[in-house]
């Protein structure tokens, strides 16, 4: 099965048995309300325990095809994309800010202090900690996330009081726990820029 997005996105191809085993659903409502445009109105697919590449939004149609089973599984997004040069997985762990777009300009009460919220996820690895820096990595503030469950996003909140008006760059460094128990540190820091007036 391949859900096709209204923008032509057709990269998520999933074996039917795999879709059923992972409790996939077609979503048309959220919290009892019609699915908002930001979440994929009029319809999106949601697949438990997999990565975002399979969560097709604004579905215009579903295409069904016959393929050998091993070929079909090669099309499923399972949360790991490797750098062609280094061979390192760069797609996890990952993180981001959810309550503001990057380059936002904040004034008044929104700037005293700046309240930030976001997520961290590593698909099948639990998040161990997040680290935040506002001075280009010279110092870091650590948020530990003990007993984290890999099946859920880690949702974080923090307040930052800018010492003065200006533009700030926040770096987020995310660490998950690899299957062998070692720390898996994000290959790239997430960066979020905002201006306070």
């Amino acid at each position: 099965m391949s859900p096709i997005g209204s923008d032509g996105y057709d990269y998520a191809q999933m074996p039917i048995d795999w879709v059923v085993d992972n409790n996939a659903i077609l979503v048309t409502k959220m919290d009892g309300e019609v699915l908002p445009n930001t979440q994929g109105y009029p319809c999106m697919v949601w697949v438990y325990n997999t990565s975002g590449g399979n969560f097709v939004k604004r579905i215009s149609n579903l295409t069904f095809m016959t393929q050998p089973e091993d070929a079909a599984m090669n099309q499923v997004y399972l949360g790991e994309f490797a750098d062609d040069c280094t061979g390192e997985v760069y797609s996890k762990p990952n993180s981001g800010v959810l309550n503001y777009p990057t380059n936002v300009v904040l004034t008044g009460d929104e700037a005293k202090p700046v309240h930030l919220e976001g997520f961290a996820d590593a698909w099948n690895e639990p998040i161990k900690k997040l680290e935040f820096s506002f001075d280009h990595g010279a110092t870091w503030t650590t948020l530990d996330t003990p007993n984290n469950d890999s099946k859920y996003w880690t949702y974080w909140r923090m307040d930052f009081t800018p010492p003065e008006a200006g533009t700030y760059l926040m770096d987020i460094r995310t660490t998950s726990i690899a299957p062998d128990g070692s720390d898996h540190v994000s290959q790239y820091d997430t960066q979020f820029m905002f201006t306070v007036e």
Side-chain angles (χ1 to χ4, degrees), residues 11-53:
Y11 300 104
Q13 298 180 13
M14 300 169 274
I16 295 296
D17 289 344
W18 185 85
V19 167
V20 171
D21 290 345
N22 285 281
N23 299 314
I25 57 174
L26 293 174
V27 180
T28 58
K29 290 186 175 183
M30 185 186 326
D31 297 327
E33 302 291 328
V34 172
L35 192 67
N37 188 50
T38 56
Q39 295 298 322
Y41 174 86
C43 180
M44 73 163 294
V45 66
W46 187 92
V47 189
Y48 184 69
N49 205 26
T50 187
S51 61

Side-chain angles (χ1 to χ4, degrees), residues 31-139:
D31 297 327
E33 302 291 328
V34 172
L35 192 67
N37 188 50
T38 56
Q39 295 298 322
Y41 174 86
C43 180
M44 73 163 294
V45 66
W46 187 92
V47 189
Y48 184 69
N49 205 26
T50 187
S51 61
N54 299 311
F55 287 60
V56 180
K57 295 182 177 182
R58 290 174 284 286
I59 294 174
S60 60
N61 63 293
L62 296 174
T63 300
F64 295 88
M65 65 202 83
T66 301
Q67 291 184 358
E69 187 173 345
D70 57 343
M73 279 307 294
N74 288 336
Q75 298 295 319
V76 175
Y77 289 112
L78 295 177
E80 296 185 357
F81 300 96
D83 186 304
D84 291 337
C85 297
T86 66
E88 291 184 45
V89 172
Y90 65 83
S91 60
K92 69 177 189 180
N94 58 57
S95 58
V97 174
L98 293 175
N99 64 325
Y100 290 115
T102 193
N103 295 324
V104 68
V105 177
L106 302 171
T107 59
D109 290 341
E110 286 187 310
K112 301 182 253 181
V114 176
H115 179 73
L116 299 169
E117 299 184 11
F119 78 96
D121 182 57
W123 181 58
N124 59 345
E125 298 176 2
I127 299 297
K128 179 178 180 179
K129 65 180 177 179
L130 291 111
E131 297 170 279
F132 305 92
S133 177
F134 290 93
D135 55 14
H136 308 288
T139 60

